[in-house]
Every structure is written in structure tokens, then in C-alpha cells.
Amino acid sequence: ATTIYRQCLKLGVGILTYTDADYPEALRNIEDPPMVLYFKGKLPDWSAQPVIGVVGTRKASTYGLQTAHLLSSQIAACGGLVVSGAATGIDALSMEGALDAGCPTVGVLGGGVDVVYPAKNRTLYRRAEENGCLISEYPPGHRPYPWNFLHRNRIISGISDGVLVVEAPEKSGALNTARHAFIQGRDLFVVPGNLGVDTCAGSNALLQEGAYAALSGWDVVKH
């Protein structure tokens, strides 16, 4: 623990424990809350605005990517805080949408906050740290193992008031986040996708199960 603390001091990483006043209240109340969160950047006032998790597939269509950027910039412009997972695809475009609207964003990572993954998202990490924050339950230097991401998803939904799924195939980490959202009692929103397109099959199925259709960022924030 002392080694981790020293490492955090050296890297400028903040430490937030379950009992701290700045710990997100919504996250404190989920079934399996992280006892410690590490962060880089400036923590938002979680209760000051609607917090919206925006998720979707890494292998998104052009339509999915454009829609993620558009709706996230609208959510941010309407006063919502966009939270996502900083992965390639929908996650990255969602966070960029909020940043391009001149608003902060929060990235919830599957590795240490000092570990850029994938490497091509380096600029996104830097922008999010300068205009918002990056958070993780894993200490600095921790590698982003594949199983970390599914575990991380409960934090994206847990920290949020509502979750927007932009585009997701039938087997997708975004659907895992949607399941967490459902269990945690969060509002679930979905962008309707084209029929017969694999990357939309999972998200469209959520609409059949009762998720709200989102046609704009305002649809999500006003709820």
C-alpha cells in the first residue's frame, strides 16, 4: 500500500476511498462498489448534473461513430456529464463529443490511469485529463487485462443516472454495462439502429426489452 501511495504521489494520481466525501454517492450504493478509486484530472461534482454513461461497440459503423459524437455533444451542451470507457469506437467518440462541445468528460478505465490503452487513444486520455478526469479501481501501472473491462462496466453504470447504448452487437461489453444498469435501477436508453445490421442487433434487442429510444441528447438528459 505504501508503494502504491508513493507511486501515486510521483505520478500526480489522486486517491479516493469509499468513505471520502468526494466519492460518488450513486456508486456507493451499488452491490459491489470499488473501495478505492484512483484518478487523474479534476473530479466533477457528481450531484450537480445528470451523469450519463455512453457505451457501445469498439467495431462501430460510421453511423454509430457519428451518432455517438453528436448525442454526447448534445448531452454535454444540455448540462449532462458524459462518462464512458475510453475504448476505441463508440467510447472514444462519445468522450470526444463532450470535449468538442467544450465540456468535461470522465473516462472509467480497465487498467491504471497512467496506462494508455489502446495506445492510439493517447490524445483522448490527455484531453480527458485536462478537461475532466480519468478514474480506475486499479492502481497505477496495472495492465488492462481483458477480464478487467467487464468488471469495470459496473462502475460506468453505477456512477451514472442513466446509460445510453449507441450501437452494440448481440455479444458486446456494452450489453454487459446495460445489464448492470438494469440491476442497479438506472434508466437505459438506446439509439435505434438499422435492421439486419449485426452491430445494431444487441442494442435493438434492448429496445424490445423496454429501454427508452433516444433520438437526441436532450431525450436522455430531460428524463
Side-chain angles (χ1 to χ4, degrees), residues 4 7 10 23 54 95-96 145 156 161 186 201-202 218:
I4 292 174
Q7 207 174 4
K10 194 170 92 177
Y23 190 96
V54 185
M95 292 173 67
E96 283 170 15
Y145 296 108
I156 296 176
D161 299 302
R186 308 299 189 245
W218 177 240

Side-chain angles (χ1 to χ4, degrees), residues 95-166:
M95 292 173 67
E96 283 170 15
L99 291 164
D100 291 346
C103 299
T105 187
V106 175
V108 184
L109 309 182
V113 290
D114 59 326
V115 181
V116 180
Y117 178 83
K120 67 177 181 181
N121 281 3
R122 186 169 299 281
T123 304
L124 174 65
Y125 272 55
R126 182 181 51 75
R127 288 184 73 195
E129 190 185 326
E130 288 169 359
N131 303 281
C133 69
L134 300 169
I135 63 176
S136 176
E137 65 183 315
Y138 303 106
H142 195 93
R143 287 173 58 89
Y145 296 108
W147 52 86
N148 291 4
F149 294 99
L150 285 176
H151 201 51
R152 175 272 321 258
N153 291 342
R154 81 194 193 288
I155 300 177
I156 296 176
S157 56
I159 227 165
S160 302
D161 299 302
V163 170
L164 171 64
V165 180
V166 177

Side-chain angles (χ1 to χ4, degrees), residues 1-178:
T2 316
T3 315
I4 292 174
Y5 180 67
R6 276 205 298 267
Q7 207 174 4
C8 287
L9 280 178
K10 194 170 92 177
L11 296 168
V13 173
I15 303 171
L16 200 58
T17 69
Y18 181 82
T19 54
D20 287 341
D22 287 340
Y23 190 96
E25 192 59 37
L27 190 61
R28 197 180 266 134
N29 295 321
I30 69 168
E31 193 180 304
D32 179 22
M35 290 295 108
V36 179
L37 288 171
Y38 301 92
F39 68 94
K40 283 191 94 173
K42 185 173 183 287
L43 286 172
D45 179 351
W46 301 102
S47 58
Q49 68 254 299
V51 181
I52 308 297
V54 185
V55 296
T57 180
R58 287 177 168 83
K59 296 176 178 157
S61 65
T62 305
Y63 168 76
L65 296 172
Q66 289 171 341
T67 306
H69 188 280
L70 175 66
L71 264 62
S72 295
S73 63
Q74 290 173 346
I75 287 167
C78 291
L81 174 67
V82 172
V83 174
S84 195
T88 311
I90 299 293
D91 284 15
L93 268 290
S94 302
M95 292 173 67
E96 283 170 15
L99 291 164
D100 291 346
C103 299
T105 187
V106 175
V108 184
L109 309 182
V113 290
D114 59 326
V115 181
V116 180
Y117 178 83
K120 67 177 181 181
N121 281 3
R122 186 169 299 281
T123 304
L124 174 65
Y125 272 55
R126 182 181 51 75
R127 288 184 73 195
E129 190 185 326
E130 288 169 359
N131 303 281
C133 69
L134 300 169
I135 63 176
S136 176
E137 65 183 315
Y138 303 106
H142 195 93
R143 287 173 58 89
Y145 296 108
W147 52 86
N148 291 4
F149 294 99
L150 285 176
H151 201 51
R152 175 272 321 258
N153 291 342
R154 81 194 193 288
I155 300 177
I156 296 176
S157 56
I159 227 165
S160 302
D161 299 302
V163 170
L164 171 64
V165 180
V166 177
E167 186 178 52
E170 283 178 333
K171 289 185 177 171
S172 167
L175 297 188
N176 175 261
T177 309

